[in-house]
Amino acid sequence: VQLQASGGGLVQAGGSLRLACAASGRTFSNYAMGWFRQAPGKEREFVAAISRNDKNTYYADSVKGRFTISRDNAKNTVYLQMNNLKPEDTAVYYCAAKMIVVTTTEKYDYWGRGTLVTVSS
């Protein structure tokens, strides 16, 4: 599976961005999808995940209530809607795909290159 994330950019605190991750190469609906992020000088961390049929979603406590993960299997795309952004959300955001079972760990099979989100105060 090839993953291409997009939608990052510079936004002021309190603003919104929507990230998209387009998948190609395999049957998208066979894969659970996740978003992770890595801030400067920090380890990569889990942000959100969604099951194959989008019935189950999971969020890190730090983004719960502000971020929403969704997917469109017809478009082979997973989204991350980010609202009320904070400076501490500044990071490179990565999407990832895992065969069948969703997880909040980093045990994903495929990773995209990442898109930079910068939130100014």
Side-chain angles (χ1 to χ4, degrees):
V1 176
Q2 290 80 46
L3 302 172
Q4 181 64 54
S6 62
L10 174 64
V11 63
Q12 287 188 332
S16 299
L17 280 175
R18 187 174 83 152
L19 305 183
C21 175
S24 61
R26 297 286 175 97
T27 303
F28 183 66
S29 59
N30 285 343
Y31 291 84
M33 299 298 295
W35 285 97
F36 291 77
R37 67 186 181 187
Q38 186 167 20
K42 295 188 177 181
E43 294 187 351
R44 189 162 58 189
E45 64 176 2
F46 167 76
V47 175
I50 188 167
S51 60
R52 292 183 297 150
N53 57 10
D54 81 14
K55 289 200 184 318
N56 297 299
T57 57
Y58 306 85
Y59 296 94
D61 288 342
S62 58
V63 307
K64 221 172 268 186
R66 300 188 297 123
F67 290 12
T68 302
I69 188 171
S70 62
R71 66 189 294 161
D72 185 338
N73 285 349
K75 294 183 178 179
N76 292 352
T77 303
V78 63
Y79 303 96
L80 185 68
Q81 177 67 44
M82 306 185 294
N83 298 328
N84 190 22
L85 282 160
K86 304 175 180 181
E88 51 263 43
D89 294 318
T90 295
V92 176
Y93 283 72
Y94 299 90
C95 60
K98 185 180 184 304
M99 190 71 173
I100 307 299
V101 180
V102 65
T103 179
T104 60
T105 72
E106 292 205 3
K107 294 180 179 179
Y108 279 74
D109 302 313
Y110 302 96
W111 292 82
R113 280 198 166 184
T115 184
L116 176 62
V117 172
T118 304
V119 184
S120 63
S121 57

